[in-house]
């Protein structure tokens, strides 16, 4: 059976999980598949293109039914699915954040999320901006979350927020919460507004 694009992307995602984004190369993908390097380039013309395909594959199923009918619950569910997809792969948020994808799964997710905001009575402009805000917030938070896993979590930050040097941070440090709490609060702010997320 001939090699196809799906096999190339699958091999790349496996290598990502094993070695991380910084050590992922086209040559290693070829070695994993037991093919010549130019065969990998046939299916993904460059590493940036391979990363686009990987990022899109990670979002497969994120917009699938069933989804809640109320628009705000739907938007929150989609945000949770998005974060789960990013966390499902080593350096997943870095992969997605480093690409500008116009592929099926990514566009379907964006369309479904934007549709939720439109269903909530938001103007097209507001629906678009809320979609971008939610995506960018989730990407940024998840990048930080995955980076923190490699340095022992949030403890270095909590220790560094000393009152004598950073009084404002010290005043709120007990309310930093873990990444799950930060995510819940941020999604609530973007989707429902401050009152509902308090």
């Amino acid at each position: 059976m001939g090699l196809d694009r799906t096999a190339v992307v699958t091999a790349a995602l496996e290598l990502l999980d094993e070695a991380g984004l910084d050590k992922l190369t086209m040559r290693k993908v070829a070695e994993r598949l037991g093919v010549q390097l130019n065969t990998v380039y046939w299916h993904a013309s460059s590493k940036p293109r391979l990363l686009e395909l990987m990022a899109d594959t990670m979002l497969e199923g994120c917009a699938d039914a069933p989804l809640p009918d109320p628009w705000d619950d739907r938007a929150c569910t989609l945000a949770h699915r998005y974060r789960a997809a990013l966390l499902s792969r080593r350096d997943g948020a870095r992969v997605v954040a480093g690409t500008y994808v116009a592929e099926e799964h990514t566009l379907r997710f964006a369309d479904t999320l934007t549709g939720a905001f439109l269903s909530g009575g938001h103007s097209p402009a507001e629906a678009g901006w809320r979609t971008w805000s939610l995506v960018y917030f989730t990407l940024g938070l998840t990048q930080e979350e995955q980076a923190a896993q490699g340095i022992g979590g949030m403890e270095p930050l909590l220790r560094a927020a000393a009152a004598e040097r950073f009084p404002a941070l010290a005043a709120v440090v007990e309310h930093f919460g873990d990444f799950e709490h930060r995510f819940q609060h941020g999604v609530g702010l973007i989707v429902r507004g401050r009152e509902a997320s308090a």
Side-chain angles (χ1 to χ4, degrees), residues 36-77:
Q36 297 295 316
L37 183 57
N38 62 351
T39 303
V40 174
Y41 278 111
W42 175 261
H43 295 287
S45 58
S46 64
K47 184 176 178 181
R49 176 59 178 153
L50 178 61
L51 293 175
E52 288 176 3
L53 297 171
M54 292 165 63
D56 188 61
T57 298
M58 287 167 53
L59 298 192
E60 184 174 0
C62 280
D64 287 355
L67 284 166
D69 187 56
W71 73 270
D72 52 347
D73 290 342
R74 199 180 334 149
C76 289
T77 296

Side-chain angles (χ1 to χ4, degrees), residues 171-187:
V172 302
V173 71
E174 66 179 287
H175 305 290
F176 275 11
D178 59 21
F179 285 102
E180 179 63 29
H181 287 109
R182 294 182 194 183
F183 179 71
Q184 295 275 11
H185 182 72
V187 169

Side-chain angles (χ1 to χ4, degrees), residues 135-160:
V135 166
Y136 292 149
F137 164 73
T138 305
L139 270 177
L141 182 84
T142 310
Q143 276 187 276
E144 183 178 332
E145 182 173 1
Q146 290 183 316
Q149 292 169 357
I151 60 169
M154 293 190 296
E155 285 305 314
L157 172 62
L158 298 178
R159 287 195 306 269

Side-chain angles (χ1 to χ4, degrees), residues 71-72 74-76 112-123 126-132 134 190-192:
W71 73 270
D72 52 347
R74 199 180 334 149
C76 289
T112 305
L113 181 55
T114 305
F117 287 120
L118 289 171
S119 296
H122 299 289
S123 69
E126 182 67 15
W129 284 114
R130 286 193 184 223
T131 296
W132 290 124
L134 194 52
I190 295 167
V191 174
R192 298 186 175 107

